[in-house]
Amino acid sequence: MNIPAGFEPHDRKSPLTEPWEPLYRRTSGDSVVLGLRAADPHTNSRGFVHGGLISALADNAMGLSCARRLGLETGLVTVNLSVDFLGLAHKGEWLEFDTMFVKPGSTLCFAQAFVTADGQPCARANAVFRVIARRAAA
């Protein structure tokens, strides 16, 4: 599998993304760029990458990037997420989820993600995250 330079295996696992592994990440300044090579588990019945996967990974990339940018020992929860689908992504293509910050703040963080498939735009996402304090371990 051909993985672009600078990407390494994504180290943050979750039950949601487990079926989509392997996922990759690259840090670029304050941003965490996620990537994957589209395969059968990523597609819908027509063979295109499923919009739900694109939405979830755009949300993930923006949240990770906001946390990195804020540099706080806090968590983030999604308050709002909207996705515009601009084109199709197909099996075999390399998908990248890259974040741009609109307004990172101490209470709310606004971000935008651009999703490409083999370098071509396929989606744009906007999100608002609420910054929350992490609970102490019991």
Side-chain angles (χ1 to χ4, degrees):
M1 186 170 9
N2 183 19
I3 306 305
F7 280 88
E8 61 188 20
H10 184 41
D11 60 349
R12 184 146 180 200
K13 308 293 182 190
S14 81
L16 175 71
T17 60
E18 185 177 346
W20 302 334
E21 294 288 343
L23 297 175
Y24 297 89
R25 70 181 281 165
R26 173 177 53 105
T27 54
S28 175
D30 289 336
S31 293
V32 176
V33 181
L34 295 181
L36 68 86
R37 179 71 58 194
D40 284 335
H42 309 125
T43 61
N44 60 25
S45 62
R46 292 178 299 211
F48 306 131
V49 174
H50 195 284
L53 176 135
I54 290 171
S55 300
L57 291 180
D59 180 62
N60 197 321
M62 289 183 287
L64 291 169
S65 295
C66 285
R68 183 176 171 90
R69 173 78 178 255
L70 294 173
L72 304 172
E73 288 300 317
T74 61
L76 297 164
V77 294
T78 307
V79 174
N80 185 50
L81 174 68
S82 65
V83 182
D84 299 314
F85 297 100
L86 309 172
L88 298 174
H90 301 91
K91 191 168 114 177
E93 293 180 330
W94 176 256
L95 273 69
E96 282 190 27
F97 302 79
D98 196 1
T99 301
M100 300 211 34
F101 298 100
V102 177
K103 183 182 183 308
S106 60
T107 303
L108 294 175
C109 188
F110 297 80
Q112 187 172 57
F114 293 96
V115 184
T116 58
D118 279 353
Q120 297 302 308
C122 69
R124 176 186 61 200
N126 293 287
V128 180
F129 298 92
R130 172 86 165 109
V131 179
I132 57 169
R134 291 191 191 265
R135 289 194 236 178

